[in-house]
Structures are given as structure tokens and as C-alpha cells.
Amino acid sequence: MASPTSIVLPSGVSKPWAVITFNDQGGLIAILAGVAVGFVFVSLLIRMYMRHNFVAYRLDDYTFLLAAIFACCQAAVVFHQVKLGLGRSDDILNPLNIDSLQKASYASDILYVTAIFLCKLSTCFLFVNLTPSKGHLLAIWTILSLSVVWILTSLFLVSLRCHPSHPWTDTSLSTCSNLFARWQAIAALDATTEILLFAMSLYLVWGIQMPLSSKLIVVGAFSCRLPTLILISFRLHYLLPTLSSPNPFLPLARLTGCTQLHVGYAITASIIPYLKPFMSVYDVPAASAYYNVSALSTAASHGKAAHGERVRSAYVLEDLGDAKGVVRLRPEEVLFEASCERGQERGVGRGSWDSGGSRRMIIKKGVEWSVVSERGVG
């Protein structure tokens, strides 16, 4: 098949920036990288639109922005690789560009794992903002800690290869025999954290008294991260032939394509929980989004109950009105009621009402739960 340089172009038609031929897959890489960048920009715009009513941004917003920045930088490096000849066979690849290609591929790997980590971090911080439960928070911070262990391990395995002085030259099993095992470990931890993030959504709604349909919406929104497991598997599938090939830059096209799709989809999956109708399940206006338990009456702690008098201390969830944009899952009103009755004389002897004949003072505590379901507008 004729190479792209041997094709005679009509007058006024410029040479294409990248082509797709049997021995040049640079065009395929450029298309997939462009699709990934499109996912990133659309997701970023959607995230900004969904958050524009909130006065303050949160950690999950900042980490998502960092993930988008790193994803765009990684795609820019890939476009530079295509310009240098990524995806071409050795017979049409300029030998002078090989060293630059290897360095760019090395940088792309580092940016890739960093962008994926920031996506996980954004989802973890979103979970933190959804629940005040100590049990949930413990589970979330455990997953977050595991994600930090994953990124540190990944950066170590990717950055320090068999030749620390020039690690970018370790691009095949002939130069670094354990290179595939390193990526297997990275992929295994990556998949484990993704499964745990999905399991966290199940744990979040498991004991919540809310309609089953609302629970399915919450779980379904976070389950959209699970297809990343398929992309991780495909990336490993294409990685081994690439590392074993004597002509690595041609089969690297499919591996790079899977990498770009993984980054783009991970960014998109991070904003799915912000879309309607999922937001209507737990979202509230920014001015009344943060609630705190406040005592409206403390008469029980400062005064004594009169003869036969019932003292009531009520606690409600008070709106602080700080417009911090903090959202809690199921921010319904909770009412706690405690009552105390002093004994009275009845007939012979001294006892207390509803005491079963006991001469001791009886303290009764009642708890009322009021669950209000509000459907979001829009």
C-alpha cells in the first residue's frame, strides 16, 4: 500500500494532518483523543452549569477541575506524539523522532494515572458531602486512602522503571522484563477502587428510608463508573502485544486509543451523579442546604418540673443560611422529645403515674421521626 507521502494530492488540497492506513494509525489515535477531549469539555461545562446556583465550590469541584486539566494535558501530549509519528510502522517512521516519542509516551503515562486518580478523588469528596454518618465517612475515607496508595504506587511503578537514569527507553519487555507486571498491578488496584466506589453507593442508601426508585437512581448514577473496568481490561489486552512487538509504535495506536477512552469516560462518569433526575433525590437550594441540630428549648435542663408537670425539649434541624452549598442526603427534619413526670399520691402509699406501682420517679423519652419527601423542580 502506498504511503501517505507518495500520494499525489490535487492542486489546492493540503496534506492531511493524520491518516489511517495499514502502516499508519495516527489518524485513529487523533480521532479517539479528540473524542476524549470532547468528553472532558462537555463534562466540564455540565458541571459548571449544575453548580452555578451554589455560592461556594467544594473539594469535589476543585478535584474535578484538576482532573479535567490533567486529562487535557495528557491529550495534548498524545497529539504531539501523533505529530512525531505515533502509530506508524518503523519503515515510515523518522528515526530522529524515536527519542522524543519515548519521552512523550513516558509523560503521557504519568498524566494518565494522575487524571484517573483525581476522578476518584472527586467522587470520594462527593460522597463526603452527601452524608454526615460516621460509618459512611469511615468507609469513604478508607476508599480515599486506598486511592492515595494506588496513585503513589502507580507513579512509582510508572516513573522508576528498570533504568532509572532513562526510564522512557523502557518501552518493551526486552528492555524491562517486568513492565507488563507493573501495569497489571496498577490495573488491579485501579479496578479495586472502582468496585469499592460502586459498593459505597450501595452502602450509602442501604439503611435509608427512601423509595426504592430513588435508591436505584442513586446506585445507578454511581454504577456508571463500572464500564471503566472494561476499558481497563482492554488496555491490558492491547498492552502485552505492544510490549512484545519489535515494531512497538504501530500497535501502540490501539493501546493509546483505549487510554484516551478511559480518561474521557472517567471524566464523564464523574459528573453523571450531578445530572437530573438524580439531583432531585438529594439536592436542595444552596440557601438551605446545610443543616445542624440546634436546641430551641432548654427548659428541661434549667428548670425543675412542677407537680405533675410535663417538660418538653424539642430539637429541630436548623438552617444556618450560610449558602455554602453543602448537600446532605435526606436532609429531613428530625424531632426529639423527652418528658419527665413527678410522682403523685394515689390512694394508699405514694407512686407515679404509669409506673407499675414503683415508688421511683420515672423518666420517659419518646422519639418522633418525621420524614418528608420533596420532589425537585426541573
Side-chain angles (χ1 to χ4, degrees):
M1 178 178 295
S3 64
T5 57
S6 62
I7 299 176
V8 179
L9 299 175
S11 177
V13 178
S14 60
K15 178 183 176 181
W17 184 74
V19 297
I20 303 177
T21 62
F22 178 76
N23 55 0
D24 188 353
Q25 300 291 312
L28 177 62
I29 300 175
I31 292 173
L32 294 177
V35 170
V37 172
F39 284 162
V40 172
F41 277 104
V42 171
S43 301
L44 189 59
L45 291 175
I46 293 176
R47 182 70 172 250
M48 293 173 62
Y49 175 77
M50 297 301 298
R51 297 286 297 154
H52 77 283
N53 286 330
F54 292 88
V55 177
Y57 290 94
R58 306 183 305 233
L59 283 176
D60 56 312
D61 299 311
Y62 293 122
T63 49
F64 177 81
L65 178 61
L66 286 176
I69 292 174
F70 273 86
C72 291
C73 292
Q74 193 266 345
V77 173
V78 171
F79 283 124
H80 179 62
Q81 289 179 277
V82 173
K83 183 179 179 180
L84 293 175
L86 180 64
R88 296 179 183 177
S89 60
D90 289 346
D91 55 341
I92 62 174
L93 178 65
N94 187 351
L96 298 178
N97 293 337
I98 292 180
D99 184 65
S100 298
L101 272 172
Q102 291 175 337
K103 291 180 180 179
S105 179
Y106 177 74
S108 177
D109 290 339
I110 296 176
L111 292 173
Y112 158 66
V113 294
T114 305
I116 296 300
F117 164 70
L118 291 171
C119 290
K120 299 177 189 291
L121 205 61
S122 177
T123 303
C124 288
F125 285 136
L126 173 60
F127 277 127
V128 171
N129 291 318
L130 287 181
T131 174
S133 171
K134 292 183 179 180
H136 292 159
L137 292 178
L138 178 61
I140 295 167
W141 284 104
T142 301
I143 299 174
L144 193 148
S145 301
L146 183 60
S147 299
V148 172
V149 171
W150 173 77
I151 186 59
L152 293 178
T153 303
S154 300
L155 291 177
F156 176 80
L157 295 177
V158 172
S159 304
L160 300 178
R161 301 180 184 179
C162 297
H163 301 86
S165 59
H166 46 87
W168 54 86
T169 60
D170 295 328
T171 57
S172 63
L173 296 178
S174 59
T175 57
C176 188
S177 58
N178 62 0
L179 194 57
F180 183 68
R182 290 169 179 252
W183 281 108
Q184 280 182 313
I186 293 172
L189 286 175
D190 187 8
T192 300
T193 53
E194 292 294 341
I195 294 174
L196 289 177
L197 287 174
F198 169 70
M200 185 63 223
S201 66
L202 295 174
Y203 178 45
L204 187 67
V205 301
W206 182 261
I208 301 296
Q209 294 182 358
M210 59 190 301
L212 178 60
S213 59
S214 299
K215 291 185 177 182
L216 292 178
I217 292 175
V218 174
V219 175
F222 287 102
S223 67
C224 292
R225 298 187 62 90
L226 292 180
T228 56
L229 301 178
I230 300 176
L231 296 173
I232 293 172
S233 301
F234 271 102
R235 193 177 185 278
L236 283 179
H237 173 74
Y238 290 122
L239 178 62
L240 185 58
T242 303
L243 298 177
S244 306
S245 175
N247 184 12
F249 293 105
L250 181 60
L252 193 60
R254 295 180 178 179
L255 175 63
T256 305
C258 285
T259 301
Q260 297 310 114
L261 292 179
H262 186 193
V263 174
Y265 185 80
I267 294 287
T268 304
S270 298
I271 60 102
I272 290 179
Y274 283 86
L275 302 178
K276 299 288 185 179
F278 175 72
M279 287 293 289
S280 62
V281 177
Y282 66 88
D283 198 11
V284 293
S288 61
Y290 186 77
Y291 294 85
N292 188 20
V293 176
S294 174
L296 296 185
S297 174
T298 55
S301 60
H302 295 285
K304 295 181 179 179
H307 183 76
E309 179 184 4
R310 181 178 183 183
V311 180
R312 172 177 175 179
S313 179
Y315 298 84
V316 299
L317 294 176
E318 181 185 19
D319 184 1
L320 298 181
D322 56 1
K324 291 184 178 180
V326 180
V327 180
R328 300 294 184 188
L329 194 64
R330 294 177 65 237
E332 65 264 0
E333 179 179 315
V334 181
L335 179 66
F336 297 92
E337 178 183 334
S339 62
C340 177
E341 297 178 359
R342 195 171 66 177
Q344 292 186 355
E345 294 184 359
R346 176 184 298 178
V348 180
R350 186 178 181 86
S352 59
W353 292 344
D354 300 328
S355 62
S358 174
R359 295 179 178 271
R360 297 181 180 180
M361 181 177 291
I362 304 299
I363 298 177
K364 298 181 179 181
K365 179 181 179 181
V367 179
E368 294 182 13
W369 296 90
S370 177
V371 179
V372 180
S373 176
E374 296 182 357
R375 184 175 301 275
V377 179

